[in-house]
Every structure is written in C-alpha cells, then in structure tokens.
Amino acid sequence: MDLITLTGEPWADYGLIDSGHGRKLERYGRFRFIRPEPQAMWAPASAQWDAHAEFLPGSDEEGGGRWVFDQPVPRDGWPLSWREVRFTAQNTPFRHLGFFPDMAPVWDWMRGQIDGIDQAECMNLFGYTGVGTLALSAKGARMTHVDASKKSVAEAKENAALSGMTDRPVRWMIDDAAKFVAREVRRERRYDGIILDPPKWGRGPNGEVWKLEEGLPALVADCRKLLDEKSRFLFLTVYAVRMSALAIGELVRQHFADLGGVVEAGELAVREEARGLQLPTAIFARWRRD
C-alpha cells in the first residue's frame, strides 16, 4: 500500500507560522500561540517568537501542563471561520484550541465525496466541537454527531448557531461511540459516509473505558456494517504515535475488501508558512467509492 500525505494549507484564520526544537508557533485569528510539538525535530526559521501565550507541558508524557499568558486573550474564546463554518477557538486545558486545523483537507475531501447526493446521511464519531459535522452539513448532509462529552456537544451546538445552521438536520448524541455504533448496526441503519477520530484513551458518559489499540478493530468492523454499495467514504484518523499508517490501512482494507472501492493510508500534515515544510500531525486510513 502506497502512503500519501494530506497537507493542510494556511487560511485566513489559521496558519502554522514556524516550528522547530520541539515547538510550533501558530496563529488563530489575531492571536498567536506556542505549543509543544515533538515531531518538529528541526531548527526553527526564527530564533525569536512573539506569542500571546505558550502551553508548557507537564512532566507526565500522557498529559498535564498549563497555559502561560504574556498578552491578553479572551478566556471565553473568539470566533474563527473555515469556508461557511463559524466556530469558537479557545485555550483548553488539553493544549488544544477547540478544533484541529490539520483536518481542513479532510473536510474538503469528504465534501467532495458526497457531491451529487441529495441529503447524504453521514456520521461524525468522536465529533468534538463539531467543525467537521458542520462542514458536511453545509453541503446538505444529514448528520449524526456523536461524542461522549456533554461539554463538547454543547460547544458543537453553539458552533452550529454561530454558523447559522441551527435548523440543519443534525442528531446531537452524547454517547459512547462504540456502543452507539453497535446499536446502529442492530437497527440496520446505513450511512453514506463516516468520519471517526478516536482518542488514544477516553471514557464514555457512563464510565465506559476506551483504549485505542483494543477498541479500534471492532469499531471499524461495525462501521463497515453501516456502509453499503451506495456509500461513499470512511475516514479514520489516529493521533497515537505508536501506531502506523500501514497498520490502520490494512485494518480498513481487510474489513472493506468485500465492498470494492479504494483504500488509502498516509499522514496528515500542516504546511509551515515560514519555509513551506510539512509538519506531520497524525496518520489516517480512508475508504472511498471508485
């Protein structure tokens, strides 16, 4: 299986300004932030970075850390946009800013896959704050948005309101993704497309424990049962560095062998504005109809 790279390019409200020495400097609207980035093993283009805040990681490699602010930033967030979608960016305790900008080329790709379908049925598993959900909804898809976090689903609904999409057909589900998909299989539901962005580890709303290496094969198998010969895509992203794109690509290929189509795998990356280099962020596997 040949590996490919999907590279996110800068846009008006986001850009990777510079990277190096294990950190990255990004702009989110009018604000600039420094965050840890182990993949940035090279030297940065500039020795001096001017940022509003920096996230300092904790001693535990699995998490921890805090934001240190040098200049004022709205603690309740500020509005950004991608295409027709408006959403709130915010400094979270988990070093993120409320969305994942490296997913921009994925949103474009998925929108292209549902071209020509009237009210495509799509599902966003581990949907977080809903930017991917709204990107597909803006193209006419009927969406099912699933996340175990009540707070994340509430933020997704707020982003829908910001985008003027409160009247769009979206099912907002606060649920454990694996259990929800298993129930959809029993209900004999079908979808035209599924995007899943599972964390390395997590808990469901009722204390369910999710471990990526243990749960992913069964989840992909159940997602396959929700797609048929008329379906258009499945897109899986993985941020766990100990996994390989070849491994998840083969997992998807085996489960989708009977459905035909094309399976591809590779890396997500963001293009740096300073030098044009590509900073890798995640691995992915995807299935699409020919």
Side-chain angles (χ1 to χ4, degrees):
M1 181 181 299
D2 293 332
L3 299 181
I4 61 178
T5 302
L6 289 180
T7 303
E9 304 292 346
W11 76 86
D13 275 351
Y14 173 79
L16 172 63
I17 300 170
D18 196 0
S19 62
H21 293 165
R23 302 189 304 164
K24 58 185 175 183
L25 174 65
E26 301 165 289
R27 57 176 178 82
Y28 287 78
R30 65 185 187 277
F31 301 106
R32 298 177 303 280
F33 302 99
I34 299 171
R35 295 192 291 161
E37 182 47 75
Q39 303 260 40
M41 301 177 183
W42 44 78
S46 173
Q48 298 294 326
W49 287 355
D50 178 28
H52 290 78
E54 178 173 3
F55 188 90
L56 300 180
S59 57
D60 182 359
E61 69 173 11
E62 296 298 324
R66 61 191 176 91
W67 287 99
V68 176
F69 293 87
D70 293 328
Q71 302 176 50
V73 175
R75 298 304 172 91
D76 293 331
W78 59 98
L80 299 181
S81 63
W82 178 87
R83 306 282 193 253
E84 310 95 323
V85 181
R86 291 180 59 81
F87 52 93
T88 297
Q90 186 176 24
N91 300 90
T92 75
F94 311 104
R95 85 180 59 188
H96 306 305
L97 275 296
F99 76 107
F100 298 102
D102 58 339
M103 291 294 290
V106 180
W107 302 329
D108 273 328
W109 181 84
M110 293 189 302
R111 284 153 62 111
Q113 299 307 304
I114 62 172
D115 274 351
I117 302 181
D118 183 31
Q119 293 190 326
E121 290 280 350
C122 297
M123 178 161 58
N124 187 0
L125 293 171
F126 310 95
Y128 194 34
T129 58
V131 182
T133 295
L134 298 175
L136 286 170
S137 182
K139 285 298 182 182
R142 300 175 60 90
M143 296 300 302
T144 298
H145 175 102
V146 185
D147 200 285
S149 167
K150 184 177 181 180
K151 182 176 185 291
S152 292
V153 173
E155 291 171 345
K157 290 181 178 180
E158 291 172 3
N159 287 334
L162 273 177
S163 301
M165 298 186 194
T166 53
D167 61 341
R168 295 291 306 148
V170 180
R171 289 196 297 164
W172 303 104
M173 311 301 299
I174 302 170
D175 208 336
D176 176 80
K179 287 187 175 181
F180 180 81
V181 169
R183 290 198 302 273
E184 291 288 85
V185 171
R186 292 195 294 271
R187 295 172 185 135
E188 298 184 348
R189 289 288 299 268
R190 69 163 298 278
Y191 290 87
D192 293 295
I194 298 175
I195 176 174
L196 56 160
D197 184 20
K200 182 177 180 181
W201 184 91
R203 285 192 181 275
N206 297 313
E208 303 93 338
V209 176
W210 165 264
K211 294 181 180 179
L212 183 68
E213 293 86 351
E214 297 176 6
L216 186 60
L219 180 59
V220 170
D222 278 347
C223 285
R224 161 62 188 89
K225 296 171 185 175
L226 298 177
L227 302 171
D228 60 22
E229 67 279 355
K230 294 182 179 180
S231 300
R232 295 296 183 90
F233 74 86
L234 174 134
F235 201 104
L236 164 66
T237 55
V238 170
Y239 286 83
V241 295
R242 291 185 178 90
M243 276 196 175
S244 160
L246 290 173
I248 64 171
E250 180 60 22
L251 172 66
V252 172
R253 189 195 67 79
Q254 288 190 8
H255 281 296
F256 282 73
D258 66 316
L259 199 53
V262 177
V263 172
E264 298 167 312
E267 294 193 3
L268 297 182
V270 177
R271 192 177 307 283
E272 184 193 274
E273 292 178 325
R275 294 163 292 189
L277 60 77
Q278 298 175 86
L279 175 66
T281 60
I283 58 175
F284 76 87
R286 67 186 183 188
W287 169 81
R288 60 179 169 86
R289 177 62 56 200
D290 286 337

